[in-house]
Amino acid sequence: MFAKINSLGLFGLNAFAVQAETEVSRGTPCFDIVGLGDTAVKESRERIRAAFRSAELKFPLARVIVNLAPADTKKTGSVHDLAIFVSILKATGEITDDLDRTAFIGEVSLNGDVRPVNGVLPMVLCAQREGFDTVFVPAENAYEASVAEGVTVYGVENVREILGHFSREAVLIPRKKYEVLPEEWFDTVDLADVKGQQTVKKAMEYAAAGGHNLLMIGPPGSGKSMLAKRLSTIMPAMTFRESVETTNIHSVCGIVSREEPLVVKRPFRSPHHTISAAGLSGGGSVPRPGEISLAHNGILFLDELPEFSRQALEILRQPLEDKQVTISRASGTVTYPCSFMLVAAMNPCPCGYFGHPTRKCICGQKQARAYINKISGPLLDRFDIQVEVAPVEYSHLSSKTKEESSAAIRERVQRAREIQQERFKGTDIICNAGITSDILHEVCPVTESANELLKGVFEKMGLSARAYDRILKVSRTVADMDGSEVIDRPHIAKAVQFRSLDRKYWNE
């Protein structure tokens, strides 16, 4: 007796179809699983035997061989348990339905419960591409799986439900498709909570409008972290494609909420400064996403930037340019997307009061220089916007004037993004920060006076080619916010204003 049941596997973000081929034949009773499975796959034999007993089913007293095809692809984890279980039932005649367009995902416990697994959404999306129209998943993963279009999803809590469903004694009800409510798009925090700091807020607005990296330098207590945590509230709402991309990564890591399975709020990742380079970029024997991938389509916030290890900071340089990170291990090579806004905050010296108007800095010149030089020139060059966060004045803190809300700022940001979407239609570019060098001058037309200013700034400040490009990109965003198609002198002046802090602190 032979049966073939569809399942799905996962390596990194790459899901692939797997078939559990089962043969039940005469011979010495045994139960073997072949097909290049890891230890978790091999151990499923004992889980499935116990699940048969729990469901009051008799395990075949025969030679049972299960092959997980394709046999030359490594299978990991317990995700194939449910497919193997069903394939044995199919081979022994307990299930007679046609299951050619049905896939099964889930771990089976000793008592027959179907436990949740990581990476369900990318696997269900793969099932959709493979032409499967029905998927059985663990009940706790069903809401997440329902995000996929065109696939009927059944949530299973126990293997007995599988038996009841196919025997028509207790037919399962398909999981209702997950729908996003508009009020779920943004956090409850608001930029109006921050008093004063108008210059920094304007810099944040430009950063959000163009997707530019942002560096904030200022003394302790000036509100750098508070501002950074509210940056996502002025960014445009995520598109469905962005939400699915982000959810795929979070699903692989097992951090998707059971109540809100689709990530609809832009991620805000704020790792501690003790994080390793592998923690940022990703790694492990089976490569898993790091913080930079978990921040995909959102914000990676590095507070106390100089406290991060040099290795961790330098590993950011390549992903910031390529928008993806490749991790190579003995088990294979995985590429994860990591298109994020890098936002960093730092003090100007170890005590934090260098240049403070009222408090004296207690650091020696050598100590302060060593602290600031922990940030390399190439990394500093990748911050499009650099802004100084001054101490908050008492008049601002005590003022009862209501600050501008995140919603009001977000409307202006959204209008600028819509201009960019129209400009870059038909390309992979999403916002101004992603403008490639081959079209830079085409999409950034500059007036003669603006060009003269930029030339003077380039020669006087000794800018690198990368800094020149980034000033043009920020100028493009400033012009978009003003509704101007051509970049004029004031637009260049604002972009240069947000690019001069490295001259103040690093050349002090």
Side-chain angles (χ1 to χ4, degrees):
M1 294 177 285
F2 175 81
K4 185 166 60 176
I5 296 295
N6 299 305
S7 183
L8 295 128
L10 193 66
F11 185 75
L13 280 182
N14 302 317
F16 54 93
V18 174
Q19 292 181 328
E21 302 172 342
T22 299
E23 182 190 55
V24 179
S25 61
R26 294 179 179 179
T28 304
C30 67
F31 182 19
D32 288 320
I33 298 177
V34 298
L36 207 60
D38 67 356
T39 303
V41 174
K42 300 294 185 184
E43 290 175 347
S44 65
R45 293 177 299 182
E46 303 308 320
R47 294 192 294 270
I48 291 169
R49 282 183 186 274
F52 264 81
R53 291 192 293 269
S54 297
E56 298 179 352
L57 291 169
K58 189 174 181 180
F59 193 82
L61 192 62
R63 187 171 182 268
V64 180
I65 304 294
V66 177
N67 175 45
L68 297 178
D72 61 346
T73 302
K74 183 76 172 177
K75 320 298 186 310
T76 60
S78 55
V79 68
H80 307 297
D81 286 8
L82 190 58
I84 296 172
F85 183 90
V86 174
S87 71
I88 297 173
L89 294 178
K90 177 78 171 171
T92 56
E94 294 285 343
I95 294 177
T96 57
D97 295 58
D98 181 3
L99 301 177
D100 288 346
R101 299 183 64 189
T102 302
F104 296 83
I105 303 168
E107 175 186 329
V108 175
S109 68
L110 298 182
N111 65 350
D113 289 342
V114 181
R115 290 177 173 164
V117 294
N118 295 342
V120 163
L121 182 55
M123 286 189 282
V124 174
L125 291 173
C126 176
Q128 178 193 46
R129 294 191 299 270
E130 292 290 331
F132 303 145
D133 56 21
T134 306
V135 178
F136 288 80
V137 300
E140 290 187 42
N141 294 129
Y143 209 17
E144 175 187 344
S146 69
V147 170
E149 298 281 354
V151 179
T152 302
V153 176
Y154 290 98
V156 183
E157 293 186 354
N158 193 284
V159 293
R160 296 184 190 88
E161 294 183 354
I162 293 284
L163 294 168
H165 178 80
F166 289 110
S167 66
R168 310 296 188 271
E169 293 179 2
V171 177
L172 295 171
I173 299 174
R175 180 71 197 196
K176 184 181 177 182
K177 183 171 173 56
Y178 173 69
E179 295 180 1
V180 183
L181 300 176
E183 56 266 24
E184 296 177 358
W185 290 348
F186 304 104
D187 290 314
T188 54
V189 295
D190 198 288
L191 204 55
D193 303 334
V194 183
K195 296 288 186 178
Q197 303 293 13
Q198 299 306 321
T199 302
V200 187
K201 288 180 180 178
K202 181 55 70 173
M204 291 172 59
E205 186 175 337
Y206 290 140
H212 302 291
N213 299 328
L214 172 68
L215 173 64
M216 296 182 285
I217 305 178
S222 55
K224 301 185 295 295
S225 300
M226 189 175 183
L227 285 159
K229 291 175 181 176
R230 284 156 177 76
L231 179 56
S232 61
T233 66
I234 66 172
M235 294 179 69
M238 294 179 75
T239 64
F240 181 75
R241 181 184 61 81
E242 289 176 327
S243 290
V244 170
E245 286 178 357
T246 307
T247 305
N248 281 345
I249 300 170
H250 287 227
S251 179
V252 169
C253 292
I255 57 175
V256 173
S257 167
R258 305 297 183 200
E259 293 74 30
E260 298 178 3
L262 186 67
V263 178
V264 294
K265 297 176 183 175
R266 294 202 177 267
F268 181 86
R269 304 294 300 183
S270 180
H272 192 260
H273 60 75
T274 57
I275 191 171
S276 65
L280 273 177
S281 64
S285 56
V286 177
R288 290 169 59 83
E291 288 292 332
I292 62 175
S293 294
L294 291 171
H296 182 57
N297 291 320
I299 296 168
L300 178 67
F301 177 50
L302 303 183
D303 201 3
E304 306 296 343
L305 186 64
E307 301 297 336
F308 286 79
S309 71
R310 186 65 172 253
Q311 184 184 10
L313 292 179
E314 294 306 309
I315 210 169
L316 291 172
R317 287 161 56 179
Q318 177 265 333
L320 280 170
E321 296 295 327
D322 297 344
K323 305 300 182 184
Q324 62 182 25
V325 59
T326 300
I327 307 167
S328 297
R329 294 291 185 271
S331 57
T333 300
V334 175
T335 298
Y336 289 114
C338 57
S339 178
F340 60 91
M341 278 179 59
L342 177 61
V343 180
M346 60 180 287
N347 296 330
C349 64
C351 76
Y353 296 107
F354 174 79
H356 196 283
T358 58
R359 297 192 62 169
K360 185 178 179 180
C361 174
I362 62 173
C363 305
Q365 185 176 2
K366 186 177 180 181
Q367 187 181 9
R369 179 168 291 278
Y371 182 80
I372 207 81
N373 283 338
K374 289 181 179 180
I375 311 303
S376 69
L379 179 62
L380 185 64
D381 225 12
R382 284 167 169 80
F383 286 101
D384 305 1
I385 298 176
Q386 305 160 6
V387 62
E388 188 167 19
V389 186
V392 186
E393 298 179 6
Y394 177 78
S395 59
H396 290 146
L397 287 174
S398 58
S399 173
K400 295 183 180 179
T401 304
K402 195 170 182 179
E403 299 284 341
E404 190 175 24
S405 69
S406 292
I409 300 173
R410 189 168 60 244
E411 286 183 8
R412 297 196 295 269
V413 170
Q414 184 66 51
R415 285 197 295 270
R417 283 291 182 103
E418 288 170 358
I419 293 172
Q420 295 166 49
Q421 288 170 8
E422 184 64 28
R423 176 183 299 130
F424 303 125
K425 185 182 293 183
T427 71
D428 294 332
I429 302 173
I430 299 173
C431 55
N432 288 334
I435 297 175
T436 53
S437 57
D438 58 322
I439 63 168
L440 180 64
H441 291 94
E442 179 186 339
V443 300
C444 297
V446 182
T447 64
E448 187 174 341
S449 62
N451 190 51
E452 289 177 1
L453 175 61
L454 186 56
K455 179 183 177 183
V457 168
F458 184 84
E459 294 174 349
K460 184 177 180 180
M461 297 177 66
L463 298 177
S464 66
R466 181 183 290 112
Y468 168 80
D469 286 358
R470 289 177 185 265
I471 285 177
L472 264 185
K473 292 175 186 179
V474 174
S475 302
R476 176 69 275 168
T477 299
V478 176
D480 287 343
M481 295 293 288
D482 286 348
S484 173
E485 185 58 36
V486 179
I487 299 172
D488 208 348
R489 191 180 182 92
H491 306 141
I492 294 288
K494 281 187 180 179
V496 172
Q497 174 192 352
F498 291 127
R499 187 77 192 190
S500 57
L501 278 190
D502 53 346
R503 268 62 191 175
K504 175 178 178 179
Y505 288 104
W506 276 262
N507 290 340
E508 184 68 28

